[in-house]
Amino acid sequence: MRKCWGIILAFIVLSSCKKEEKTSSKNLVQIKAEKPIPKIYGFNLEKFDVLRDTIKNGDSFGKLMLQNHVDYPKIVKIAEEYKDTFDVKRIKVGKPYVILKAKDTTEKAQIFIYENDRINYTVVDLRDSVQAYTSKKKVKYVQREIAGVIKNSLSIDMDSLGVDYNVTLNLSDIYAWTIDFFRLEKGDEFKIIYNERYISDSIYAGVEPIKAAFFKHKGKPIYAFPYVTDSLKNIMDYFDQDANNLRSTFLKAPIKFNYRLSSRYNLRRRIAYYGYKVRPHKGTDYAAAIGTPIVATADGTVTESRRRGGNGKYVKIKHNGTYSTQYLHMKAQKVKKGEYVRQGDVIGWVGMTGNTGGPHVCYRFWKNGKQVDPLREKLPSAKPIADSLKTDYLAFIEPIKSQLDCIEYEEPIKEENENLITLNQENGTNQNQSYND
Ligand SMILES: [Zn+2]
């Protein structure tokens, strides 16, 4: 499968960076406007009266059928004989359905179509001998190539390019270990290749996972390509242009989105509240709205989940013999002592318990029993690509990488990128931020 894709792409990019291809692929999506065919779900609309609705509270398959003049034995037959295909007890409120009725005075339902999701549907054919089957709408994949430059924030700039928010989330997940998206700089560049899904040629139905990405942060380019390293367990990771795993054992931040780095680890911090005396800050503060989920930055076992003094409600996780992490001032904890958590699991919510000037999580990073600055630590990466796969990987990424390289930016790139966007410099005094310990 992966190979096929590689070959197809190889053909596309064989004559690298062709101009005529670029014009339509940028902000594209040209959907062919075809003459409407009087068909839905394969049925000729001219032969039926169509009733479209969604399942309401109190609706049941039996009730809908009786309302549409279907005989009771047929309803029972579907419920009993086609349970594996269509479990009538499992219809859900809010799901769309269509009833095709006879165009005569009986107005009897002939066909019942239930939409399991945007793509899959179930057909119950009530004509003659009753039967039920499932089917899929035709899905078309349209490849999009995006290139942008950071002017505001990743989500704002992606949005202005008309990119689905799920792609933004996907991108921030891929780079969660290598780039702190809230410390981006103006002028940072990104490129993405991904597929959009369309049902029946024109109805937008979301996106597929990112096929390839490029991010240039502080002048350093980091590519990302998905690659299956264990086809038996179907383990897929994103790797860079040198086959390094983009995943690290630790996430960059304990909050996934919408935070502001409000105070860094600083041993010489002076605070007005304490008469400008030195009050070392051994944590990293992430300000976020109360109730924002806090996630474990790595797999581990919860060693503490309690409330104590200035720390307020907090959780401490032991990851291995070397590292532990701690998360302070929670509104509430979600995990208990002794629980095993996975990286990215929600362990609590941002609050203001303990000594704090505003809602934030104070993230403490312990290495061999001492608190260190996680933003300065060189943290271990996750499993690299096995040597036996490396050649295959590099061959696989070659055409996609050239495709990425060929995507043009809409505006010329300026060479100055000194502007920090969201980072507050925290090297000196810190008056209005949280003074917690
Ligand atoms: Zn703190």
Side-chain angles (χ1 to χ4, degrees), residues 84-333:
D84 292 342
T85 315
F86 180 57
D87 189 344
V88 299
K89 288 190 192 117
R90 294 190 140 204
I91 62 166
K92 284 193 190 120
V93 172
K95 291 278 186 192
Y97 67 87
V98 174
I99 294 175
L100 303 179
K101 299 201 275 189
K103 270 193 167 178
D104 56 28
T105 49
T106 67
E107 293 187 336
K108 249 188 187 181
Q110 307 272 287
I111 310 284
F112 173 77
I113 298 144
Y114 175 78
E115 292 206 355
N116 303 70
D117 53 50
R118 287 167 107 171
I119 292 166
N120 298 288
Y121 61 90
T122 304
V123 175
V124 179
D125 192 332
L126 300 148
R127 298 171 294 188
D128 310 327
S129 62
V130 189
Q131 57 160 332
Y133 57 89
T134 52
S135 193
K136 271 176 196 293
K137 291 179 189 171
K138 215 170 78 189
V139 181
K140 188 168 95 177
Y141 298 94
V142 176
Q143 185 171 282
R144 285 196 71 178
E145 296 178 342
I146 299 294
V149 179
I150 296 295
K151 292 182 198 128
N152 301 286
S153 71
L154 182 68
S155 46
I156 292 171
D157 295 329
M158 290 274 271
D159 192 53
S160 70
L161 290 168
V163 178
D164 191 309
Y165 187 61
N166 287 305
V167 178
T168 309
L169 292 177
N170 191 182
L171 190 74
S172 60
D173 274 346
I174 291 170
Y175 287 108
W177 295 268
T178 44
I179 298 170
D180 184 344
F181 278 110
F182 294 87
R183 299 174 67 202
L184 293 181
E185 294 178 359
K186 276 186 185 161
D188 280 355
E189 300 159 30
F190 59 91
K191 293 179 177 186
I192 313 157
I193 302 172
Y194 68 97
N195 277 342
E196 288 179 336
R197 292 187 287 256
Y198 289 87
I199 298 166
S200 316
D201 271 351
S202 59
I203 303 158
Y204 180 68
V207 289
E208 296 281 295
I210 288 175
K211 272 184 163 182
F214 164 85
F215 212 99
K216 195 168 165 189
H217 178 49
K218 292 184 177 176
K220 187 186 168 203
I222 308 171
Y223 288 81
F225 305 99
Y227 191 72
V228 176
T229 48
D230 187 334
S231 49
L232 286 178
K233 290 183 192 154
N234 201 23
I235 293 175
M236 198 268 288
D237 264 332
Y238 282 83
F239 295 88
D240 72 5
Q241 62 272 31
D242 301 316
N244 298 312
N245 199 328
L246 284 175
R247 218 153 43 80
S248 150
T249 41
F250 287 92
L251 290 173
K252 281 270 181 195
I255 290 180
K256 279 199 166 173
F257 236 65
N258 297 328
Y259 63 76
R260 184 172 56 86
L261 190 63
S262 53
S263 174
R264 286 190 63 162
Y265 179 98
N266 181 0
L267 296 178
R268 287 164 298 146
R269 181 180 63 163
R270 292 169 193 275
I271 288 182
Y273 184 80
Y274 295 117
Y276 294 104
K277 284 193 182 121
V278 172
R279 296 283 301 199
H281 183 225
K282 292 185 175 176
T284 309
D285 290 348
Y286 294 89
I290 287 194
T292 304
I294 298 168
V295 299
T297 51
D299 296 356
T301 305
V302 176
T303 52
E304 291 176 63
S305 177
R306 56 192 295 200
R307 178 173 195 148
R308 197 177 67 182
N311 287 353
K313 292 184 182 175
Y314 72 92
V315 167
K316 192 169 181 183
I317 301 168
K318 184 178 175 167
H319 304 291
N320 52 35
T322 310
Y323 296 108
S324 292
T325 54
Q326 199 181 356
Y327 313 75
L328 275 48
H329 314 307
M330 288 180 170
K331 181 183 179 211
Q333 303 97 316

Side-chain angles (χ1 to χ4, degrees), residues 263 269 281 283-285 328-329 360-364 434 436-437:
S263 174
R269 181 180 63 163
H281 183 225
T284 309
D285 290 348
L328 275 48
H329 314 307
H360 77 282
V361 55
C362 181
Y363 176 55
R364 303 290 178 96
S434 44
N436 49 78
D437 276 299

